């Protein structure tokens, strides 16, 4: 298996533009997580899905952020409009089952820079 | 006070040394995870444990549920072990709460 796939790996955009980050989880995994990592705040959970349904989005910073999982093999995280403070590395991770105690497999991350 | 605290924040060692990184948490957990993040940025799960001890190669992770404390040990450290080591605890549902990480540098 190729592991969790994220695209793009790097994104540079201007303030106010829409940004869409993409994630393909490992086949057969039914839990998907979006994280953000910054120097100031470290790693933070933004949202996670079980069986394509958003379960906990309390980490989503504000209405500018939205995430979807239209099917078991694809998820997007959208920022509209983007702001410089959104600059961070965004990680997607997936997990084999909805059980709480299974390890998560991380994607390589998308490094976002908002100018 | 952070729910998950790691120490030390930075650690420099000589190749071959025994290394210990500590993690303390203040909430009830379902499991504790140790993650490794290399300079390139990729994150790898090293261990997930809810009791006792686990060993994988030169890495050993222990957890004391009563004391809410975990340690990650590296025996015979090597420069390729240089990375950031992150402790994370599973709390409500599937949420993970992360420590700030420990930057380990192993010099040859």
């Amino acid at each position: 298996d190729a592991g969790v796939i994220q695209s793009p790996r790097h994104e540079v955009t201007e303030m106010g533009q829409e940004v869409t980050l993409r994630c393909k989880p490992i086949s057969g995994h039914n839990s998907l997580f979006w994280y953000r990592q910054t120097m100031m705040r470290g790693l933070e959970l933004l949202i996670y899905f079980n069986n394509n349904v958003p379960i906990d989005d309390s980490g989503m910073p504000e209405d500018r952020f939205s995430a979807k999982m239209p099917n078991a093999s694809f998820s997007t995280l959208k920022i509209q409009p983007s702001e410089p403070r959104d600059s961070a590395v965004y990680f997607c991770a997936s997990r084999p089952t909805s059980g709480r105690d299974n390890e998560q497999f991380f994607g390589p991350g998308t490094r976002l820079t908002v100018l | 006070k952070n729910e998950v605290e790691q120490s030390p924040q930075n650690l420099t060692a000589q190749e071959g040394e025994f290394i210990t990184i500590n993690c303390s948490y203040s909430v009830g957990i379902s499991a504790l995870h140790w993650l490794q993040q290399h300079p390139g940025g990729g994150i790898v799960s090293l261990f997930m444990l809810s009791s006792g001890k686990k060993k994988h190669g030169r890495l050993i992770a222990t957890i004391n549920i009563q004391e809410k404390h975990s340690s990650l040990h590296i025996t015979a450290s090597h420069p390729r072990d240089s990375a950031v080591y992150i402790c994370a605890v599973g709390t409500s549902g599937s949420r993970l709460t992360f420590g700030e990480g420990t930057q380990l540098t192993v010099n040859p």
Side-chain angles (χ1 to χ4, degrees), chain A residues 33-101:
Chain A
F33 304 80
W34 281 102
Y35 296 99
R36 179 173 66 176
Q37 186 178 39
T38 61
M39 289 292 292
M40 292 295 295
R41 300 172 65 92
L43 269 165
E44 302 173 285
L45 174 68
L46 298 176
I47 185 172
Y48 78 90
F49 297 83
N50 277 347
N51 296 316
N52 312 339
V53 177
I55 302 300
D56 183 350
D57 65 353
S58 59
M60 296 285 265
E62 49 197 272
D63 292 344
R64 297 183 299 107
F65 285 69
S66 63
K68 294 182 180 179
M69 193 165 185
N71 56 62
S73 60
F74 183 67
S75 177
T76 59
L77 177 68
K78 184 179 293 187
I79 308 172
Q80 180 184 22
S82 58
E83 297 182 3
R85 60 193 168 118
D86 302 330
S87 298
V89 181
Y90 291 81
F91 288 98
C92 175
S94 69
R95 188 176 63 189
T97 73
S98 59
R100 295 182 302 175
D101 295 343

Side-chain angles (χ1 to χ4, degrees), chain B residues 75-104:
Chain B
T75 62
S77 60
H78 189 276
R80 65 176 176 264
D81 297 326
S82 297
V84 175
Y85 292 84
I86 303 169
C87 172
V89 298
T91 54
S92 61
S94 299
R95 171 175 288 277
L96 283 182
T97 302
F98 297 88
E100 294 184 350
T102 295
Q103 173 70 61
L104 171 65

Side-chain angles (χ1 to χ4, degrees), chain B residues 2-3 6 9 14-15 18 20 22 24-26 31 36 41 49-50 56 60 68-69 72 82 85-87 94 107-108:
Chain B
N2 293 333
E3 292 179 332
Q6 290 185 233
Q9 285 188 313
Q14 288 299 121
E15 184 173 356
F18 180 83
T20 296
N22 296 299
S24 297
Y25 53 92
S26 58
Q36 180 191 56
L49 65 167
S50 54
H56 184 257
I60 302 168
K68 294 186 176 179
H69 180 269
L72 176 68
S82 297
Y85 292 84
I86 303 169
C87 172
S94 299
N107 294 318

